[in-house]
Amino acid sequence: QVQLVESGGGLVQAGDSLRLSCAASTRSFSRYTMLWFRQAPGKERALVAAIMGSGFATDYADSVKGRFTISRDNAKNTVYLQMNSLKPEDTAVYYCAAGLRWPTATGDYWGQGTQVTVSS
């Protein structure tokens, strides 16, 4: 089992930046693909970004390419999502997930989510 705890969400204005963190409780953190998903009100949950266990490869949704950066620190069992140039349409609950394969668009373990609200 992997427990995931997100932090860093909040209310910001359009154009601002925010960094989300997700701490994992596992001794095998580097074996897991880490993913960030988001779910806006009335919409399905969607993949935002993913990073390979080693950190050598990443993948992004087209809507966030060039604005968001996923990274990880395997020594700290933590994955990050740096979000720049935020837009109102980025408003959503953001979820961290751990996956057992690469590439993958699904998570096997999930965090509880953190709210990000971007005002115009």
Side-chain angles (χ1 to χ4, degrees):
Q1 285 286 354
V2 180
Q3 293 186 329
L4 303 170
V5 179
E6 303 98 333
S7 61
L11 172 63
V12 297
Q13 294 186 333
D16 286 351
S17 297
L18 205 58
R19 188 176 82 156
L20 304 182
S21 299
C22 173
S25 62
T26 173
R27 294 182 179 179
S28 305
F29 182 67
S30 63
R31 297 177 60 183
Y32 291 95
T33 293
M34 297 303 296
L35 311 100
W36 285 99
F37 292 80
R38 68 185 180 186
Q39 187 167 19
K43 296 187 177 181
E44 293 187 355
R45 188 162 52 191
L47 179 64
V48 175
I51 186 167
M52 180 185 283
S54 64
F56 287 161
T58 58
D59 194 21
Y60 296 92
D62 288 342
S63 59
V64 306
K65 282 181 181 177
R67 299 189 299 123
F68 289 13
T69 302
I70 188 171
S71 62
R72 64 191 297 159
D73 185 338
N74 286 345
K76 296 182 178 180
N77 282 13
T78 302
V79 62
Y80 305 97
L81 185 67
Q82 178 67 43
M83 305 185 292
N84 298 330
S85 302
L86 282 162
K87 304 175 181 180
E89 51 263 43
D90 294 318
T91 295
V93 177
Y94 283 72
Y95 297 91
C96 172
L100 297 172
R101 291 164 293 278
W102 177 270
T104 184
T106 62
D108 296 282
Y109 303 98
W110 292 85
Q112 81 289 349
T114 186
Q115 177 70 47
V116 172
T117 303
V118 184
S119 64
S120 58

